[in-house]
Amino acid sequence: SQQGEEDPQALSIQEGENATMNCSYKTSINNLQWYRQNSGRGLVHLILIRSNEREKHSGRLRVTLDTSKKSSSLLITASRAADTASYFCATASQTGANNLFFGTGTRLTVIP
Amino acid sequence: SQTIHQWPATLVQPVGSPLSLECTVEGTSNPNLYWYRQAAGRGLQLLFYSVGIGQISSEVPQNLSASRPQDRQFILSSKKLLLSDSGFYLCALAASPLGYEQYFGPGTRLTVT
């Protein structure tokens, strides 16, 4: 299966701290994406990093990609209570109709 | 910008009953469309995808089917629901060839009793 796995499954931090989530995957990819899901809602795209990129920033988000280790990390700096959500990584294969394969998610709780 | 509508938002159906979930999109033409299912506390499982009208690909053989009768309409169906069909169903689009990002609808919570 191409599906990724996030680590940790759950993370609880204080507001203002940084949150780091990791994702591992199994096959070669075209790109890797991170999504956020608030409870009971649809997913929201956060950031995409291509296989030839190593790091990407967007606001308080920093994503790294190590294709040799088939892993990625998402760092949220200066967390806020509103960042409380589940975060999923998703990989896009080098072939196919833009199909994404999602990981199992990290549940982040930011305590005010 | 793209908008995805899904209905109903919640649904409770008995085992053996039929199912029809509808997804419609606005703000884009000829998108790739996707149906995912999410079990409680789990990741997303891709069920079907469509690259055009009448073109359906199934990722996982199961008790469900999908159809795309119009460019911006994607329907998920079942003739007889099973308990294992319970879950959160999400419709998504990719505005190919603009990128690989997918945009998700609000989802339908299905409980089969």
Side-chain angles (χ1 to χ4, degrees):
Chain A
S1 168
Q2 192 173 352
Q3 191 171 26
E5 289 188 6
E6 281 92 341
D7 169 56
Q9 291 187 341
L11 179 62
S12 184
I13 60 174
Q14 295 290 328
E15 200 166 31
E17 295 180 338
N18 296 342
T20 299
M21 289 159 268
N22 303 295
C23 168
S24 61
Y25 58 92
K26 297 179 180 177
T27 63
S28 297
I29 62 171
N30 180 291
N31 66 72
L32 185 144
Q33 303 174 35
W34 285 90
Y35 288 80
R36 165 197 170 122
Q37 183 182 34
N38 285 66
S39 181
R41 308 291 297 274
L43 277 71
V44 176
H45 180 263
L46 295 176
I47 195 166
L48 179 154
I49 186 166
R50 301 192 187 283
S51 59
N52 61 354
E53 298 176 308
R54 291 297 167 259
E55 187 171 314
K56 201 162 185 179
H57 297 255
S58 177
R60 294 185 294 112
L61 305 180
R62 173 178 170 255
V63 170
T64 62
L65 178 65
D66 187 335
T67 53
S68 67
K69 296 181 179 179
K70 291 185 169 57
S71 66
S72 173
S73 67
L74 171 67
L75 169 67
I76 303 174
T77 60
S79 63
R80 305 166 182 170
D83 294 328
T84 295
S86 292
Y87 292 82
F88 295 89
C89 69
T91 54
S93 66
Q94 294 178 326
T95 60
N98 285 357
N99 291 359
L100 293 179
F101 296 90
F102 284 82
T104 51
T106 292
R107 175 67 188 172
L108 173 66
T109 301
V110 181
I111 303 168
Chain B
S1 64
Q2 303 94 339
T3 304
I4 304 172
H5 302 280
Q6 285 188 249
W7 64 89
T10 60
L11 189 60
V12 179
Q13 292 282 101
V15 168
S17 64
L19 173 73
S20 180
L21 301 182
E22 188 160 348
C23 169
T24 59
V25 304
E26 297 176 357
T28 185
S29 296
N30 195 31
N32 289 356
L33 295 175
Y34 306 83
W35 277 113
Y36 292 91
R37 177 170 61 201
Q38 184 178 30
R42 303 294 299 276
L44 276 68
Q45 179 186 34
L46 178 63
L47 302 176
F48 301 94
Y49 68 92
S50 171
V51 299
I53 296 173
Q55 300 180 64
I56 308 295
S57 297
S58 174
E59 285 294 306
V60 182
Q62 51 199 304
N63 187 40
L64 302 169
S65 62
S67 62
R68 186 171 177 177
Q70 301 179 43
D71 181 48
R72 300 175 189 181
Q73 185 184 29
F74 203 22
I75 298 172
L76 183 69
S77 303
S78 173
K79 292 183 179 179
K80 289 185 178 182
L81 284 168
L82 306 172
L83 285 174
S84 57
D85 292 323
S86 293
F88 191 47
Y89 288 82
L90 289 158
C91 177
L93 72 84
S96 179
L98 297 179
Y100 287 87
E101 295 90 344
Q102 292 189 10
Y103 300 89
F104 285 80
T108 293
R109 174 79 57 194
L110 172 65
T111 303
V112 182
T113 60

